Amino acid sequence: MQVEMELPVIDLAPYLEISAKISGEKELDPHIKRLCSEVSGGLKEAGALLVGVTPQGVETPRILVDEEMQEKLRAMPKKRQPSIPAGPDPKWRYMWRVGRRPSNTRFQGLNSEPVIPEEYPEWKDTMDSWGNKMIFAIEVVAEMAAIGFGLPKDAFTSLMKQGPHLLAPTGSDLRRYGQKGTVFAGYHYDINFLTIHGRSRFPGLNIWLRNGQKIEVKVPAGCLLIQTGKQLEWLMGGDCMAGMHEVVVTERTINAIKVALQQNRSLWRVSSTLFAHIASDAMLKPLGHFAESPFASKYPPLYAGEFIQKQIAVTKGKKKELQ
């Protein structure tokens, strides 16, 4: 059984009008404080807000290799369990690094220059233009979230400077893989700080709320979707958890395919995704009062780049069969 619910839709305009003048939480008027609290509350409770090429068959879903995640899955009520993929995700993805890179870093492999297709001279300008717009939206949400969580306005954005942000347009061929139940992105969390998506051409995204409830996401036209990543969870000492999600062909996807066929439109499910990261050489650890969290000891200090390397190593591990 899938449940539909409305994610909080945040209008960033009121905050943008006064953001440059903010030097401390005490100066905020009640409306702006309420908006910031809605941002932090949405990230905490729902794990989401509305605001070179990797071919299909390469990315292995974390649920197939992470034993701890598999144990949690088995403990879920049947109706809340994710769909189990049969193997690597049948999606294509291109990774484009956006923004300035550090001149010196301990993690050169995470901060290398992007690959530019020779046949598209406008490629770099187009990718950078859209990528920088998405990073700007992330930075605004990060500022509002910091205020909502009782932290300084720049608590998160100061750590994002020169981070290895990745614009990752993703495509899935529904003509070939359009059967109900097909898993395009197996049950997982994102290992970065915050992830932002443009509205996909076809539905199919399911997320899990903090209380374990599974919901199918509907992104309104003109909105962007933002989800929490594992780096944010680390900075919050576990008070805000990385959002679990999957992309699967649902009944709504099937209905959208039928409409697209009638209108002679493409059956590629395309989503415009950007993974915003904490800078590789910045230290990941619970911030401010979250260092006093009862779970803070589970989040020891380590470089963000080291954290990413360890997370990637898990997904490259040997596949564990689910019973």
Side-chain angles (χ1 to χ4, degrees):
M1 177 182 178
Q2 301 227 124
V3 178
E4 288 188 11
M5 69 166 284
E6 299 296 327
L7 290 174
V9 179
I10 309 297
D11 182 2
L12 304 184
Y15 177 81
L16 287 171
E17 290 178 3
I18 56 88
S19 61
K21 304 175 184 177
I22 297 176
S23 59
E25 185 183 0
K26 293 181 180 179
E27 299 178 14
L28 296 179
D29 67 38
H31 176 58
I32 299 300
K33 280 188 177 181
R34 186 167 60 253
L35 274 179
C36 292
S37 294
E38 288 177 9
V39 169
S40 58
L43 294 176
K44 181 175 179 178
E45 299 303 326
L49 293 172
L50 297 169
V51 218
V53 177
T54 302
Q56 62 192 32
V58 172
E59 290 192 43
T60 300
R62 193 180 185 98
I63 187 61
L64 294 183
V65 297
D66 191 323
E67 291 180 318
E68 181 180 352
M69 189 178 289
Q70 292 176 7
E71 289 178 9
K72 291 180 179 178
L73 183 151
R74 294 187 188 98
M76 290 181 181
K78 205 71 176 177
K79 66 180 181 180
R80 293 184 174 181
Q81 289 185 2
S83 301
I84 304 302
D89 295 335
K91 68 176 186 289
W92 290 75
R93 173 171 281 168
Y94 175 86
M95 296 285 198
W96 176 263
R97 302 183 189 279
V98 181
R100 295 181 58 190
R101 291 289 173 267
S103 54
N104 294 300
T105 175
R106 301 172 181 82
F107 308 96
Q108 193 61 47
L110 298 177
N111 294 274
S112 57
E113 290 299 317
V115 176
I116 303 175
E118 294 180 359
E119 296 83 0
Y120 301 93
E122 74 282 5
W123 188 273
K124 184 178 188 303
D125 290 342
T126 301
M127 298 294 280
D128 284 343
S129 175
W130 178 236
N132 285 323
K133 287 180 173 67
M134 296 186 86
I135 289 176
F136 176 74
I138 286 274
E139 289 174 339
V140 174
V141 169
E143 284 187 359
M144 296 176 72
I147 294 170
F149 284 128
L151 296 170
K153 169 186 170 181
D154 65 347
F156 300 132
T157 54
S158 62
L159 297 174
M160 291 174 59
K161 292 178 180 178
Q162 297 188 345
H165 313 305
L166 293 171
L167 179 59
T170 305
S172 304
D173 186 357
L174 292 172
R175 190 177 296 277
R176 183 177 180 184
Y177 299 106
Q179 301 77 31
K180 185 176 179 180
T182 299
V183 180
F184 285 119
Y187 181 72
H188 68 288
Y189 57 77
D190 292 338
I191 62 178
N192 53 299
F193 171 58
L194 287 173
T195 302
I196 184 169
H197 308 269
R199 188 170 184 256
S200 176
R201 292 179 178 177
F202 292 87
L205 174 64
N206 296 321
I207 68 173
W208 278 258
L209 306 184
R210 193 180 181 109
N211 63 9
Q213 184 180 9
K214 177 183 179 181
I215 67 169
E216 187 171 1
V217 176
K218 298 175 72 173
V219 180
C223 289
L224 296 167
L225 172 69
I226 291 181
Q227 293 179 283
T228 59
K230 199 69 173 180
Q231 288 182 333
L232 177 59
E233 178 182 328
W234 212 271
L235 296 172
M236 302 291 292
D239 193 71
C240 184
M241 304 295 288
M244 305 302 301
H245 54 285
E246 68 177 0
V247 178
V248 63
V249 177
T250 65
E251 193 62 43
R252 286 182 60 225
T253 316
I254 298 296
N255 292 336
I257 290 174
K258 293 176 181 177
V259 172
L261 284 170
Q262 292 170 357
Q263 298 176 350
N264 199 29
R265 290 189 285 109
S266 170
L267 292 187
W268 276 86
R269 183 187 189 276
V270 177
S271 61
S272 180
T273 299
L274 184 134
F275 301 103
H277 282 256
I278 299 301
S280 300
D281 294 274
M283 189 63 67
L284 274 185
K285 60 180 181 180
L287 299 177
H289 59 90
F290 293 104
E292 307 302 321
S293 162
F295 304 107
S297 61
K298 295 183 178 180
Y299 303 91
L302 78 168
Y303 290 113
E306 179 186 1
F307 168 81
I308 293 297
Q309 289 175 338
K310 289 182 176 180
Q311 292 285 315
I312 291 175
V314 172
T315 62
K316 292 183 180 295
K318 184 179 178 180
K319 175 180 171 180
K320 312 294 192 305
E321 295 296 335
L322 283 170
Q323 303 301 320

